[in-house]
């Protein structure tokens, strides 16, 4: 047996998410989890039969839904989150290159340039933020039925149901991609990522 | 070493996607009546060709949905099922499943409309007219309403005596030309044809004649007591009768 010495450590990790951002993500994930789980209990007959307790499940779903935007709104006090929202908002020429590579199923890192967030993450963030608020609005219309004209309510249910299905699929994609990338998960859990990962996934952020 | 390259300020696509999603959501609410007719027609057709039944899980995919207000419901069958009729009556009675089956049966084929929006067209129900059980028990003149209890231990419903005596209110034993299974409220459920389906209490076990209407389970939680389809709960569905 021979002892192997590790090479000297030189700035191998880099801060990616602040404490406030990580807690906002955690709290949002828990609330979204409650929303999805209770939705399954309310909506899919086999699970509804298993769980029953309809009034209780409805209450849990309603309050988790109303609370869903709160963690992110609270974390807006954090400079790091506001800076990241700025990065998520703006699309540069490299984002178009990234999207085109996705459409061509070109998986080489070199053809998928990205800054701190790639174009897919940017679209995911903007769309889920909008979709969550639409779910909240239509959900409130179904909850407080006396507040809106009657035809709106049936319409709100229609939008809420179909958007729930879309959001569920997109969320499954989000979780699935995180499952396939341990270093990305470590970044969200501990706040920092390795240099190799950043160079491969986000070359423009840490070249 | 940790110098962060600034990202060039690009186009605010994120904001456009965000606002666009909100806008599409609002547009969806406005266009929903039209869209819903389309998806119902399409999924109704697709469900007929779908052996997996997965289309039933899609919104407006058709079929019944299972709602229970308790965590679990005991199972009852011909051996242990009992329906009691009591309250302001001269002759309280207890019926077994066999007793109910021996009485004259009425069959009706009408739409079922749930207050949450789903509708199942042309559903056969078969059973004993509630009015017959009330007449057999001899309702006293002081009575004004009927209260229903269920063997799930929690659900209750009620009707005025006038509503309960309608010919389209059944103590149902069969649904879709089959004995009513446990998930659908079997072996015996109430069937109130002209009203939203929450009035058609599942797992019916007690009929109590009372002086005044006592609000049922969902009515304590905000639903209308007089639940005529299309004329209550702020909905304008097409009447079922």
């Amino acid at each position: 047996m021979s002892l192997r010495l590790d090479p000297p450590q030189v700035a191998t990790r880099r801060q990616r998410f602040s404490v406030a951002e990580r807690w906002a993500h955690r709290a949002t994930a828990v609330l979204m989890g409650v929303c999805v789980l209770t939705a399954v209990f309310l909506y899919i007959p086999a699970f509804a039969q298993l769980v029953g307790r309809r009034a209780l499940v409805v209450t849990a779903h309603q309050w988790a839904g109303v609370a869903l935007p709160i963690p992110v709104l609270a974390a807006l006090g954090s400079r790091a989150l506001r800076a990241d929202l700025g990065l998520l908002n703006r699309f540069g020429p490299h984002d178009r290159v990234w999207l085109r590579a996705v459409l061509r199923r070109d998986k080489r890192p070199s053809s998928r340039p990205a800054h701190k967030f790639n174009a897919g993450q940017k679209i995911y963030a903007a769309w889920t933020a909008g979709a969550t608020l639409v779910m909240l609005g239509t959900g409130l219309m179904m909850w407080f039925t006396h507040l809106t004209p009657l035809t709106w309510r049936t319409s709100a249910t229609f939008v809420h149901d179909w958007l729930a299905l879309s959001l569920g699929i997109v969320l499954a994609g989000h979780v699935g991609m995180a499952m396939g990338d341990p270093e990305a998960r470590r970044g969200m859990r501990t706040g920092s990522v390795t240099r190799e990962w950043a160079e491969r996934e986000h070359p423009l952020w840490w070249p | 070493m940790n110098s962060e390259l600034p990202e060039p300020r690009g186009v605010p696509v994120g904001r456009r996607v965000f606002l666009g999603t909100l806008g599409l959501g609002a547009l969806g609410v406005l266009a929903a009546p039209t869209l819903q007719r389309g998806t119902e027609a399409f999924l109704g057709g697709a469900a007929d060709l779908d052996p997996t039944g997965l289309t039933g899980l899609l919104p407006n995919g058709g079929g019944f949905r299972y709602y229970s207000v308790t965590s679990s419901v005991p199972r009852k069958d011909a051996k242990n099922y009992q329906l009691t009729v009591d309250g302001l009556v001269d002759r309280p009675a207890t019926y077994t499943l066999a007793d109910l089956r021996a009485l004259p049966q009425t069959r009706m084929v009408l739409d079922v409309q749930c207050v949450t929006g789903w509708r199942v067209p042309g559903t056969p129900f078969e059973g004993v007219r509630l009015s017959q059980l009330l007449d057999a028990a001899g309702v006293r003149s002081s009575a004004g309403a009927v209260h229903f209890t269920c063997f799930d231990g929690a659900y209750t419903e009620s009707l005025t005596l006038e509503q309960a005596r309608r010919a389209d209110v059944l103590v149902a034993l069969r649904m879709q030309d089959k004995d009513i299974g446990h998930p659908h409220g079997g072996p015996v459920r109430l069937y109130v044809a002209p009203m939203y389906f929450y009035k058609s209490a599942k797992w019916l076990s007690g009929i109590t004649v009372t002086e005044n209407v006592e609000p049922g389970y969902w009515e304590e939680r905000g639903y209308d007591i007089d639940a005529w389809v299309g004329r209550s709960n702020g909905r304008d569905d097409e009447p079922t009768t």
Side-chain angles (χ1 to χ4, degrees):
Chain A
M1 279 182 81
S2 66
L3 283 172
R4 212 185 69 217
L5 289 171
D6 286 333
Q9 306 278 313
V10 283
T12 52
R13 297 190 74 80
R14 175 163 192 182
Q15 182 75 14
R16 183 161 169 84
F17 295 115
S18 72
V19 176
E21 286 177 306
R22 273 136 60 200
W23 276 106
H25 182 262
R26 238 163 257 170
T28 306
V30 168
L31 290 169
M32 185 62 97
V34 172
C35 283
V36 171
L37 199 68
T38 49
V40 165
F41 291 162
L42 291 172
Y43 195 79
I44 299 179
F47 289 98
Q49 287 187 42
L50 202 67
V51 176
R53 300 176 203 259
R54 203 162 177 86
L56 175 72
V57 179
V58 166
T59 308
H61 187 77
Q62 288 167 331
W63 285 103
V66 167
L68 193 53
I70 293 174
V72 171
L73 291 179
L76 280 178
S78 141
R79 189 190 299 269
L81 178 69
R82 291 199 304 273
D84 279 353
L85 288 181
L87 292 176
L88 286 166
N89 182 25
R90 298 277 170 176
F91 276 55
H94 55 282
D95 290 313
R96 203 162 307 140
V97 175
W98 189 95
L99 284 172
R100 225 175 284 135
V102 169
L103 289 178
R104 285 199 313 264
R105 302 191 182 281
D106 183 348
K107 289 195 190 327
R108 284 170 302 163
S110 57
S111 45
R112 293 194 178 190
H115 194 260
K116 185 169 184 180
F117 301 105
N118 65 43
Q121 292 168 323
K122 292 178 182 184
I123 291 174
Y124 171 83
W127 185 80
T128 39
T132 302
L133 291 185
V134 173
M135 291 302 280
L136 180 60
T138 51
L140 287 172
M141 283 157 82
M142 292 153 71
W143 186 355
F144 300 101
T145 47
H146 53 281
L147 290 185
T148 50
L150 50 98
T151 49
W152 288 29
R153 236 164 290 157
T154 324
S155 304
T157 313
F158 177 81
V159 171
H160 200 82
D161 284 0
W162 280 103
L163 192 55
L165 192 64
S166 322
L167 202 52
I169 293 167
V170 171
L171 275 176
H174 175 70
V175 173
M177 273 182 257
M179 297 298 280
D181 191 343
E183 188 57 25
R185 287 207 309 280
R186 201 168 297 127
M188 192 45 96
R189 200 171 61 245
T190 66
S192 66
V193 291
T194 61
R195 169 149 211 149
E196 302 81 65
W197 182 86
E199 277 172 351
R200 189 178 69 246
E201 301 288 334
H202 300 275
L204 301 178
W205 177 50
W206 193 4
Chain B
M1 204 72 198
N2 254 12
S3 65
E4 187 158 330
L5 276 191
E7 188 176 29
R9 268 179 86 76
V11 191
V13 174
R15 187 186 302 152
R16 290 176 197 167
V17 171
F18 173 72
L19 294 175
T21 308
L22 284 180
L24 274 179
L27 200 69
V29 171
L30 292 177
T34 318
L35 293 171
Q36 188 154 17
R37 270 193 292 280
T39 54
E40 270 170 8
F42 174 74
L43 288 174
D48 292 338
L49 306 170
D50 171 22
T52 63
L54 285 175
T55 43
L57 296 180
L58 292 171
N60 316 111
F64 286 89
R65 307 207 177 282
Y66 175 92
Y67 295 162
S68 164
V69 299
T70 59
S71 59
S72 72
V73 181
R75 284 170 187 272
K76 302 251 180 190
D77 54 24
K79 286 193 285 293
N80 56 3
Y81 176 79
Q82 286 196 323
L83 174 65
T84 58
V85 182
D86 56 15
L88 300 173
V89 294
D90 294 326
R91 297 174 293 278
T94 301
Y95 294 88
T96 65
L97 201 51
D99 296 337
L100 291 171
R101 282 179 181 149
L103 295 168
Q105 306 287 308
T106 302
R107 185 173 180 271
M108 285 189 282
V109 184
L110 296 165
D111 291 0
V112 165
Q113 175 70 53
C114 177
V115 74
T116 62
W118 53 265
R119 187 179 183 105
V120 182
T123 308
F125 277 90
E126 200 175 332
V128 183
R129 283 212 171 102
L130 178 58
S131 60
Q132 185 175 3
L133 297 183
L134 293 174
D135 290 345
V139 175
R140 294 193 190 141
S141 55
S142 57
V146 184
H147 191 67
F148 304 94
T149 48
C150 304
F151 63 79
D152 71 351
Y155 203 75
T156 55
E157 252 311 330
S158 54
L159 293 169
T160 67
L161 201 51
E162 191 191 347
Q163 292 163 359
R165 284 204 158 117
R166 285 176 62 112
D168 52 10
V169 176
L170 300 183
V171 170
L173 310 177
R174 290 167 65 78
M175 172 178 148
Q176 294 170 319
D177 294 319
K178 294 186 295 249
D179 289 344
I180 301 177
H182 181 77
H184 288 301
V188 177
R189 75 178 297 166
L190 195 63
Y191 175 58
V192 185
M195 297 198 177
Y196 285 106
F197 210 39
Y198 64 87
K199 298 298 283 192
S200 297
K202 304 206 281 191
W203 305 300
L204 183 66
S205 62
I207 299 172
T208 306
V209 178
T210 58
E211 202 174 322
N212 299 307
V213 168
E214 298 166 20
Y217 183 91
W218 285 119
E219 290 138 29
E220 299 270 13
R221 290 157 179 80
Y223 284 20
D224 287 349
I225 296 175
D226 295 322
W228 306 107
V229 173
R231 286 186 281 132
S232 64
N233 294 292
R235 296 183 59 92
D236 62 349
D237 307 287
E238 193 185 324
T240 46
T241 57

